[in-house]
Amino acid sequence: MGAKRWLGAWPVYRQLVGTDRLGRGKAAESGRSAGLAPRTGGADRVADSICPYCAVGCAQRVYVKDEQVIQIEGNPDSPISRGRLCPKGSASKQLVTGPQRELKVRYRPPYGTQWQDLDLDTAMDMVADRVLDARRRGWQDTDGAGKTLRRTMGIASLGGATLDNEENYLIKKLFTALGALQVENQARI
């Protein structure tokens, strides 16, 4: 390799003799990095979304190719997050594409040792029946002194960090309408 060719491969030399005096562009680029392409370059379309993890509402760009999510990144146009995502938000692609994600309703009956697959309608009916039964069994119309209570001590709600403001609002409305007093979220604990 000639001296001129060797010097041209050296980033400091390219920085000194080229137009990139600060070494932030082509002067710092290696042969390997020059051949790299962005993960999002092959996307067919980009959908705007919101991170599902907390109530901050960081905007995301969801890159889709052949109707499959290939990358999720922060949206720099967002006034909330300005393109930044926390570690959970940055890893939110696994919510959609992770191999551990269950795609069907699984149920293990009491004292059962094996999981069973259920259709969604059956599972929803089971949940509704159990909520209404627990509400009825724990219902208190009045206290010992005859004061009106109209509440149930049979059900409660504990929300998680993957719920956003709108979901928490609707859950609070639902459980209040059911007469539940214990409506909590892990963010307050």
Side-chain angles (χ1 to χ4, degrees), residues 76-89:
D77 296 333
S78 168
I80 295 169
S81 58
R82 296 178 296 180
R84 298 170 183 88
L85 295 174
C86 71
K88 284 176 23 178

Side-chain angles (χ1 to χ4, degrees), residues 40-107:
T40 59
D44 297 331
R45 63 188 172 93
V46 179
D48 289 330
S49 185
I50 302 293
C51 178
Y53 277 111
C54 72
V56 172
C58 297
Q60 293 180 324
R61 288 186 176 162
V62 180
Y63 295 86
V64 179
K65 181 176 179 64
D66 301 325
E67 295 307 309
Q68 298 290 321
V69 175
I70 59 170
Q71 183 68 17
I72 297 178
E73 295 181 354
N75 186 342
D77 296 333
S78 168
I80 295 169
S81 58
R82 296 178 296 180
R84 298 170 183 88
L85 295 174
C86 71
K88 284 176 23 178
S90 296
S92 60
K93 179 183 169 213
Q94 71 185 348
L95 282 176
V96 182
T97 62
Q100 72 281 6
R101 180 180 183 203
E102 287 291 341
L103 301 175
K104 53 191 165 233
V105 178
R106 307 297 310 266
Y107 172 69

Side-chain angles (χ1 to χ4, degrees):
M1 183 192 282
K4 181 87 167 162
R5 189 168 169 203
W6 179 83
L7 280 174
W10 193 38
V12 174
Y13 177 77
R14 289 196 311 263
Q15 183 178 345
L16 292 172
V17 298
T19 57
D20 183 18
R21 296 272 185 219
L22 297 176
R24 295 182 183 165
K26 289 287 184 190
E29 190 175 77
S30 68
R32 180 183 169 279
S33 64
L36 293 177
R39 287 183 292 238
T40 59
D44 297 331
R45 63 188 172 93
V46 179
D48 289 330
S49 185
I50 302 293
C51 178
Y53 277 111
C54 72
V56 172
C58 297
Q60 293 180 324
R61 288 186 176 162
V62 180
Y63 295 86
V64 179
K65 181 176 179 64
D66 301 325
E67 295 307 309
Q68 298 290 321
V69 175
I70 59 170
Q71 183 68 17
I72 297 178
E73 295 181 354
N75 186 342
D77 296 333
S78 168
I80 295 169
S81 58
R82 296 178 296 180
R84 298 170 183 88
L85 295 174
C86 71
K88 284 176 23 178
S90 296
S92 60
K93 179 183 169 213
Q94 71 185 348
L95 282 176
V96 182
T97 62
Q100 72 281 6
R101 180 180 183 203
E102 287 291 341
L103 301 175
K104 53 191 165 233
V105 178
R106 307 297 310 266
Y107 172 69
R108 191 174 74 186
Y111 307 105
T113 59
Q114 300 294 320
W115 290 96
Q116 302 171 2
D117 293 342
L118 294 179
D119 63 281
L120 184 58
D121 288 335
T122 301
M124 295 295 283
D125 287 342
M126 289 171 67
V127 170
D129 290 343
R130 289 174 181 177
V131 166
L132 293 176
D133 182 53
R135 178 183 187 260
R136 183 186 45 76
R137 285 187 288 114
W139 188 257
Q140 297 174 343
D141 253 337
T142 58
D143 64 8
K147 289 186 180 178
T148 303
L149 297 175
R150 286 192 288 242
R151 68 180 185 197
T152 184
M153 301 303 279
I155 56 176
S157 172
L158 175 61
T162 59
L163 301 175
D164 60 31
N165 284 342
E166 291 80 13
E167 290 168 314
N168 281 315
Y169 173 79
L170 292 173
I171 287 170
K172 173 68 171 146
K173 297 279 278 187
L174 169 67
F175 278 89
T176 301
L178 288 170
L181 299 178
Q182 298 86 6
V183 182
E184 195 55 78
N185 188 289
Q186 79 175 59
R188 286 180 14 98
I189 295 177

